[in-house]
Each structure stands twice: as C-alpha cells, then as structure tokens.
Amino acid sequence: MWEFFKKEVLKNMSFEKLFFGTAGVPRSTKASTSTAGIERVRELGLDCMELEFVQGVRMREKGAGAVLETAERENIALSVHAPYYINLNSPEEEKLKASMERIYQAARIGSLCGAKSIVLHAAFYQKSSKPATYENVSTALRELTEQLRGEGIPAVLRPETMGKRSQFGTLEEVLALSEEIEGVMPCLDFSHMHAREGKENSYPEFTAILSKVENALGKEGLANMHMHVSGIEYGGNGEKRHLPLKESDFNYPDLLKALKEFEVRGRVICESPILEEDALLLKKTYSEI
C-alpha cells in the first residue's frame, strides 16, 4: 500500500524546495477573503498559504473555484486546516460521524481549491488507553481515505503532532499512521512537539526527529513535509498558546539548520500571532544558513 502511495501520489506532490507561508490570510491583507490573502502572500514574497477551515467548512464550490484560479495565477501552494471540532476517538457515534464528515468536507472543498494536504487534529485520549485511541483513529482514517480515493478526491490527510498531553498526536503516533495507511502523511508541528514535553528544541533533537521521519517514510517523506512553526508558551500539561517567535524560547534557527541539512522539501506554515512577519523571518533565516 505504501509503495503504491509513494509512486502514484507523492511523486505528484514533491516540492523542489522548502516553501514558507502563513496559516490563513496575512494580517496586513486589506480584505479578509482567501483570494485577497493569496494575492498578499505573493506580494510579501512568500510561497504558500494554509486555508483555515478551523471554525467549519463554509466555503462553497464557486468560492473554491475562485481560490483555485487565484492560487494558480499567483503561483501560491495551498493546503487546508480542517475544523477543530474533531474527535475520532469519541465514544458517541453521532460525534464520530460528525468528525468524519468535517474532515471529508475539508478535503472535498480543499481539493477544489487545489489543496491536497488536509491537516487535522485527530483525537483526544479521554478515558481510552493510548493503544485503543490509536486503533479508533486508524479505523476512521482508513475509512476516510478509502472514501476519498473512491470519489477521486486527490487529498492527503495529515494528522498533526499535538502540543497537549491529553491530545492524540505524538510523533510516533502520526508516523505509524502514515506508514500504515495509504493516503495519510504527517503534519509535524515542531512547536507543539517542544511544548508537549518541554524538550525537542535543539539541533540534535531536531535531527533525531527528521531521522525518524526518514526511517519511517523514506526520502519521499522528507520531500513532502508539511510543518507548522511558531513561538509557543507551555506548562506542565503542554501547550498554552502561540507566541511570536522572538517572544518564546523556541529554537527556530537550529530547526531551520536541521531542515537544510536533511534537504527537507515541502511547506513551513507559520502560526505565530504575527503571521507574515514571522513567516518572513523564517524564510530569511533559512536563506542565510
């Protein structure tokens, strides 16, 4: 399954370099629309933008067509963040079905925008064991990827590494899902990984993470990375809130050094409160290494 996915899907998603962009419409955009945001991303000299469907998939087919046209004209790569209201480990059948429908709609509309990567917060452990939670998430994602494939929707579902210990989404969990399920790849949020345990914030630790990705997914995995970066505040239970990069202890220069060392390609999406300022800081720092 993984070999087929590498040959038939990843070969059409590989990036020639590392792209930098914003999680949503840049703050300096005059209008709050996705099309205006894409145009502003290009004006700023950035390369990509994540469409934030986090409060729900409210975009319709006509709007998606306009987004696709704008992104192609401006040569901006798009991805999607699915709604926050998702728990693939919910014991309530109605909530589980609603979660799966939200992911499906994010993928369906996202694909019409030209976005193939669909980022999602997969689940909470709640009262379940970690192995049981993993099985529930795996079952749901298998069903979703089969549905998307059956309908010809060219979307890759990307469970994100999460910053709170109550949330499903360790590096090991998302890599295991990516190894096992055709149509699943990781979204590595390096700030979340740092916040979760207060570690993962040095060059050796960043290179260890990338080595795990390569061991699990091969060179193709490193050529199709989707990453989130921001400053972050955290405590005993993990993530508290995002911060501007220079107002936190997150060691972004060493992360960027590791990404260059491993010749990582794909997208770095900045989730800082000062979106485009920090996205530009990341791109400038990377170019100077």
Side-chain angles (χ1 to χ4, degrees):
M1 294 285 276
W2 172 242
E3 288 301 320
F4 172 82
F5 183 60
K6 286 197 294 186
K7 291 178 181 178
E8 300 303 322
V9 179
L10 294 190
K11 70 179 182 180
N12 296 318
M13 290 182 62
S14 295
F15 289 78
E16 69 273 15
K17 63 176 184 177
L18 200 57
F19 286 6
F20 292 85
T22 59
V25 175
R27 305 291 192 228
S28 58
T29 310
K30 292 180 180 179
S32 60
T33 64
S34 296
T35 52
I38 293 166
E39 291 170 345
R40 182 61 179 148
V41 165
R42 172 50 60 216
E43 290 172 357
L44 289 164
L46 293 168
D47 317 293
C48 55
M49 189 179 90
E50 195 156 272
L51 298 168
E52 299 296 290
F53 292 168
V54 295
Q55 302 303 325
V57 184
R58 296 168 183 166
M59 188 180 292
R60 297 294 179 261
E61 287 83 354
K62 183 177 180 180
V67 168
L68 173 63
E69 181 181 346
T70 305
E72 289 181 341
R73 183 181 69 243
E74 302 295 341
N75 194 27
I76 296 297
L78 297 179
S79 57
V80 161
H81 198 305
Y84 288 144
Y85 312 111
I86 288 169
N87 184 9
L88 299 179
N89 187 45
S90 177
E92 300 177 45
E93 187 68 21
E94 185 177 338
K95 290 184 178 179
L96 176 59
K97 287 183 177 179
S99 293
M100 294 178 70
E101 177 65 16
R102 291 182 182 113
I103 296 170
Y104 168 75
Q105 291 298 339
R108 185 180 72 85
I109 295 296
S111 70
L112 295 176
C113 295
K116 292 184 173 65
S117 288
I118 314 300
V119 176
L120 59 106
H121 297 178
F124 291 87
Y125 297 119
Q126 296 176 295
K127 296 180 181 180
S128 302
S129 68
K130 289 186 176 181
T133 303
Y134 181 92
E135 286 305 313
N136 288 337
V137 172
S138 176
T139 297
L141 290 179
R142 286 179 191 277
E143 183 176 330
L144 278 163
T145 53
E146 288 173 7
Q147 179 183 6
L148 294 172
R149 198 157 49 246
E151 295 183 21
I153 297 174
V156 174
L157 302 182
R158 290 186 179 265
E160 183 177 339
T161 55
M162 300 305 297
K164 295 179 181 177
R165 296 179 185 176
S166 61
Q167 294 171 299
F168 174 91
T170 64
L171 175 64
E172 290 71 24
E173 286 167 338
V174 300
L175 287 180
L177 289 170
S178 302
E179 280 188 278
E180 293 175 11
I181 305 174
E182 180 185 341
V184 171
M185 289 285 284
C187 170
L188 297 190
D189 189 314
F190 284 92
S191 303
H192 281 172
M193 285 188 276
H194 171 43
R196 192 173 182 112
E197 301 292 341
K199 302 175 183 178
E200 316 296 0
N201 198 35
S202 66
Y203 181 76
E205 289 169 311
F206 294 137
T207 58
I209 290 170
L210 295 175
S211 292
K212 288 180 180 179
V213 174
E214 184 173 6
N215 289 338
L217 307 179
K219 291 291 186 182
E220 293 86 353
L222 293 177
N224 291 276
M225 291 277 280
H226 192 95
M227 297 163 279
H228 286 174
V229 176
S230 74
I232 197 129
E233 180 183 349
Y234 56 93
N237 294 318
E239 174 194 9
K240 289 186 174 181
R241 64 189 177 112
H242 290 170
L243 296 172
L245 284 167
K246 291 186 176 180
E247 294 179 19
S248 79
D249 70 349
F250 185 68
N251 186 3
Y252 66 92
D254 273 5
L255 169 62
L256 296 172
K257 180 181 176 183
L259 295 178
K260 183 159 281 191
E261 177 71 21
F262 275 72
E263 299 181 344
V264 170
R265 290 176 282 159
R267 301 172 194 173
V268 175
I269 300 294
C270 181
E271 293 189 316
S272 160
I274 51 173
L275 283 175
E276 58 266 48
E277 292 179 45
D278 274 352
L280 288 166
L281 172 63
L282 290 168
K283 184 171 184 177
K284 180 176 184 292
T285 304
Y286 181 80
S287 70
E288 293 173 349
I289 295 172

